[in-house]
């Protein structure tokens, strides 16, 4: 398929219980005052020396106990300094938390409370639409429409009034357009996406970006009307290049063309692995899946090259597998060797 598929599976299936527990612990361990003093106090307890990025670069929360941070701590304990230095490039950056189907309210609350305590914004991804990924590497999703609505309700309750930025359902609209999702599921999917946008944007401090594919899949003319049917008018904007590798320059061009067709909506770009652009060898159908020779892209920031681009984000968590291809583990599992190569190539 078109590259963005492995995006969600990566983190949707990851073992988030440890990270969530850390988030809950982090949320409760600070008693310091507001602003930077609070941040400094919290940073003293950050695992593997992981601290928050400066607010003037971007508002997003760094999870001090994510997969990269855990590997970093293990490498430093083993005195593997060179490898640790590479993984630190990933561990010290804010990356998305993909909300799993089990206990979504507790996960959303844990991540947003931890972020809020650190004076930052949680970056969340919802990837649980029924008939997700057409049953392929990232297949799954909610059992039916009611289960999905309950999932979104739980996430909304967990977020509450705390700051959050939500990337909504990678590939969900794209797969309505490219023929991957059977016709009989289209009407329900549009309804579910529209309902999710309405529910989440009603929250006081939550921004929502509906996923809109990538620069390599097709033409903006093919997707702008489906985005409107899915409720893009109520969203804060759309996301592009999620879990994909297209350059930031190409992603900006694609996003600007699409923005012009959806009433000037702003957008965000996943730059997590686009440092060397897309892979152009091997089977075209699996160039998106764990391609070799890729590199980390621009670090997350709200200081972008275009006023229509609200942020560069690491939506895909670098170092997590796209699926069982090219020697990779299951989608969403941490792959230390691939993480090392991504980081080393970004020098």
């Amino acid at each position: 398929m078109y590259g963005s598929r492995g995006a969600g599976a990566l983190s949707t299936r990851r073992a988030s219980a440890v990270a969530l527990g850390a988030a809950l612990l982090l949320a409760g361990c600070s008693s310091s005052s507001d602003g930077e003093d609070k941040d400094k106090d919290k940073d003293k307890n950050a695992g593997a020396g992981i601290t928050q990025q400066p607010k003037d670069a971007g508002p997003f929360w760094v999870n001090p106990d994510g997969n990269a941070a855990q590997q970093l701590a293990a490498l430093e304990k083993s005195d593997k300094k060179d490898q640790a230095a590479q993984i630190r490039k990933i561990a010290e950056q804010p990356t998305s938390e993909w909300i799993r189907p089990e206990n979504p309210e507790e996960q959303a609350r844990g991540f947003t409370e931890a972020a809020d305590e650190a004076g930052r914004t949680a970056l969340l991804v919802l990837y649980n639409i029924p008939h997700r990924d057409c049953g392929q590497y990232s297949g799954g999703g909610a059992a039916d429409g009611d289960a999905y609505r309950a999932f979104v309700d739980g996430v909304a309750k967990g977020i509450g009034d705390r700051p959050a930025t939500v990337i909504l359902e990678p590939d969900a609209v794209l797969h309505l357009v490219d023929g991957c999702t059977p016709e009989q599921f289209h009407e329900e999917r549009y309804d579910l996406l529209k309902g999710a946008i309405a529910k989440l944007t009603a929250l006081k401090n939550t921004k929502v970006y509906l996923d809109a594919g990538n620069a390599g899949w097709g033409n903006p003319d093919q997707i702008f009307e489906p985005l409107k049917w899915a409720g893009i008018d109520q969203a804060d904007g759309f996301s592009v290049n999620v879990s994909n590798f297209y350059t930031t320059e190409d992603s900006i061009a694609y996003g600007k063309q699409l923005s012009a067709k959806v009433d000037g909506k702003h957008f965000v770009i996943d730059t997590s692995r686009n440092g060397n652009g897309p892979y152009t060898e091997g089977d075209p159908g699996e160039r998106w899946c764990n391609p070799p020779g890729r590199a980390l892209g621009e670090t997350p920031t709200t200081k972008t090259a275009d006023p229509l681009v609200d942020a560069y984000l690491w939506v895909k968590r670098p170092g997590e597998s796209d699926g069982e291809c090219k020697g990779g583990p299951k989608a969403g599992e941490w792959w230390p060797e691939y993480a090392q190569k991504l980081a080393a190539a970004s020098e």
Side-chain angles (χ1 to χ4, degrees):
M1 246 341 278
Y2 297 109
S4 148
R5 265 192 346 211
L10 296 176
S11 293
T12 304
R13 296 180 182 174
R14 72 185 181 86
S16 63
V18 175
L20 177 59
L24 294 170
L25 175 61
L26 182 60
C29 71
S30 175
S31 59
S32 56
S33 59
D34 293 338
E36 298 305 318
D37 288 341
K38 178 173 66 177
D39 294 340
K40 291 177 181 177
D41 287 346
K42 292 187 68 56
D43 289 344
K44 292 177 183 178
N45 297 322
I50 301 302
T51 61
Q52 300 302 317
Q53 289 292 324
K55 284 186 178 180
D56 61 359
F60 304 106
W61 177 62
V62 178
N63 185 343
D65 197 45
N67 284 335
Q70 292 182 47
Q71 186 183 358
L72 172 60
L75 290 169
E76 290 184 336
K77 185 176 181 179
S78 300
D79 201 30
K80 297 179 178 179
K81 296 180 180 179
D82 290 344
Q83 293 181 45
Q86 297 297 341
I87 294 301
R88 181 173 288 279
K89 296 177 185 178
I90 299 173
E92 68 183 5
Q93 296 299 330
T95 56
S96 298
E97 302 293 344
W98 296 66
I99 302 297
R100 301 175 68 243
E102 303 83 8
N103 303 315
E105 181 177 347
E106 288 81 356
Q107 292 176 70
R109 180 177 295 111
F111 292 132
T112 55
E113 283 184 348
D116 194 42
E117 284 291 327
R120 301 299 192 274
T121 297
L123 180 59
L124 308 177
V125 181
L126 303 194
Y127 188 62
N128 193 38
I129 202 77
H131 317 292
R132 186 183 69 200
D133 197 36
C134 313
Q136 300 184 63
Y137 283 130
S138 300
D144 54 33
D146 287 341
Y148 185 75
R149 293 183 186 94
F151 169 77
V152 173
D153 286 347
V155 171
K157 290 178 182 177
I159 294 173
D161 289 342
R162 290 176 292 276
T165 293
V166 176
I167 306 301
L168 184 63
E169 296 299 338
D171 291 341
V173 177
L174 174 62
H175 283 167
L176 294 173
V177 178
D178 67 13
C180 181
T181 301
E183 180 70 30
Q184 64 264 34
F185 303 133
H186 287 204
E187 183 177 356
E188 179 188 57
R189 180 167 294 186
Y190 284 124
D191 181 68
L192 293 176
L193 291 171
K194 186 178 293 185
I197 291 171
K199 171 69 70 170
L200 294 167
T201 55
L203 300 175
K204 183 177 180 180
N205 293 303
T206 295
K207 292 184 177 181
V208 179
Y209 294 88
L210 177 62
D211 190 63
N214 58 72
W217 82 273
N219 191 297
D221 284 340
Q222 298 172 265
I223 200 171
F224 79 90
E225 285 189 335
L227 287 172
K228 290 182 177 180
W229 299 334
I232 188 67
D233 60 312
Q234 295 184 68
D236 293 275
F238 57 92
S239 59
V240 301
N241 203 49
V242 170
S243 281
N244 220 301
F245 303 88
Y246 291 95
T247 65
T248 301
E249 181 181 7
D250 287 346
S251 296
I252 291 175
Y254 171 77
K256 290 178 72 173
Q257 292 174 31
L258 185 53
S259 174
K261 297 178 181 297
V262 289
D263 301 319
K265 286 289 184 179
H266 287 208
F267 57 100
V268 295
I269 300 171
D270 184 355
T271 60
S272 58
R273 305 183 298 176
N274 73 346
N276 284 341
Y279 185 58
T280 58
E281 301 177 22
D283 180 359
E286 286 206 345
R287 287 174 178 170
W288 60 271
C289 190
N290 299 324
R294 301 312 92 196
L296 303 174
E298 288 98 337
T299 54
T301 183
T302 53
K303 295 182 176 181
T304 68
D306 193 279
L308 283 174
V309 183
D310 286 346
Y312 302 145
L313 304 174
W314 284 9
V315 182
K316 161 71 177 181
R317 300 173 64 88
E320 292 181 355
S321 176
D322 291 318
E324 295 173 277
C325 61
K326 302 181 182 70
K330 291 182 179 180
E333 291 188 7
W334 181 252
W335 190 3
E337 295 82 6
Y338 197 78
Q340 283 283 339
K341 291 176 181 177
L342 282 173
S346 66
E347 292 180 331

